[in-house]
Amino acid sequence: MRVKIHHEGTSILIWLFVILAVIIVPLWLWVRPMSWAIGVTVVCTIFYLLVVNFFRSPRRLYTGTHENTVVSSADGTVVALEETFEDECLHCRCIQLSVFMSVFNVHANWFPVDGEVTYVKHHNGRFMAAYLPKSSTENERSSVVIRTPAGQKILMRQIAGAMARRIVTYAAVGDEASVEDHMGFIKFGSRIDLYLPLGTEVLVKIGDKTRGGITEVARLHPEKNA
């Protein structure tokens, strides 16, 4: 699997490198003892590598069956799995499946199903910890609905966390969605909520680890919702 840096992080990494260089170079030239320069360089290097790690963007190829399959939209940990009423756009009872991403996870977001994008809306909000239940409705977030070939509507919601300050959503109404394509990106710790039709077979449980674009998290049963 080939890993590259996501384009959302390119400018940040360039500017961060320049800033850290401005800090480190004078230390090596003029500050004594040299232990100061060595210590600061080590700390800055570790910090820079952590940021590089955050913006990694692996190219993934889903090899399973696409029909009626829901694939995880993000790397992370399943933190919520419950029946709830979704009142923004679906206006019905659904199964909510939430994946929390730490700062160490890949933060690119994949489409969970194949289909057509029918709804996209960004909401301003708070920046509470993304693992809290209230973050689904009170935090900065972006909602995207995909209609599957069988006619079912799946809501994917990107949610900012306590450290996240920017949600990027590439999806637009009318776009063709594929589980192999990036739907967006969230900068620093955050969460993804999926709202699935009742009757969907959930394949994961709370505490399970997921990989975006790879892990099958549910299987739809259109005949149960006809």
Side-chain angles (χ1 to χ4, degrees), residues 77-96:
T77 304
V78 178
V79 294
L81 186 56
E82 60 185 0
E83 183 178 323
T84 187
F85 188 84
E86 200 293 307
D87 199 29
E88 177 187 344
C89 50
L90 299 180
H91 307 294
C92 64
R93 296 200 69 79
C94 307
I95 297 173
Q96 178 185 337

Side-chain angles (χ1 to χ4, degrees), residues 84-226:
T84 187
F85 188 84
E86 200 293 307
D87 199 29
E88 177 187 344
C89 50
L90 299 180
H91 307 294
C92 64
R93 296 200 69 79
C94 307
I95 297 173
Q96 178 185 337
L97 192 162
S98 303
V99 174
F100 174 74
M101 295 171 278
S102 75
V103 294
F104 300 106
N105 290 126
V106 170
H107 270 57
N109 305 144
W110 284 258
F111 285 106
V113 293
D114 293 347
E116 180 186 0
V117 177
T118 61
Y119 176 93
V120 178
K121 188 171 183 179
H122 181 84
H123 303 267
N124 295 323
R126 301 170 64 185
F127 295 97
M128 297 185 295
Y131 57 81
L132 296 174
K134 285 186 177 181
S135 66
S136 293
T137 55
E138 296 188 17
N139 275 22
E140 183 100 3
R141 60 199 182 278
S142 185
S143 300
V144 176
V145 174
I146 305 104
R147 184 174 60 228
T148 70
Q152 292 182 298
K153 292 183 178 180
I154 308 301
L155 169 61
M156 173 184 172
R157 182 172 289 151
Q158 298 170 286
I159 302 170
M163 294 179 63
R165 285 299 183 271
R166 189 183 176 200
I167 295 175
V168 182
T169 305
Y170 307 136
V173 173
D175 283 355
E176 181 180 346
S178 170
V179 296
E180 295 176 1
D181 294 336
H182 285 172
M183 192 283 292
F185 195 95
I186 310 179
K187 296 185 178 181
F188 304 105
S190 44
R191 166 175 165 172
I192 291 290
D193 286 352
L194 296 180
Y195 291 85
L196 311 171
L198 297 181
T200 297
E201 178 187 2
V202 178
L203 305 176
V204 293
K205 61 184 182 299
I206 291 179
D208 282 356
K209 304 295 183 181
T210 65
R211 295 179 67 208
I214 296 293
T215 305
E216 296 183 13
V217 295
R219 180 159 292 278
L220 302 171
H221 294 286
E223 66 280 359
K224 293 185 179 181
N225 304 101

Side-chain angles (χ1 to χ4, degrees), residues 27-28 31-42:
L27 293 178
W28 283 93
V31 175
R32 296 295 181 272
M34 293 295 292
S35 57
W36 281 96
I38 294 172
V40 172
T41 301
V42 169

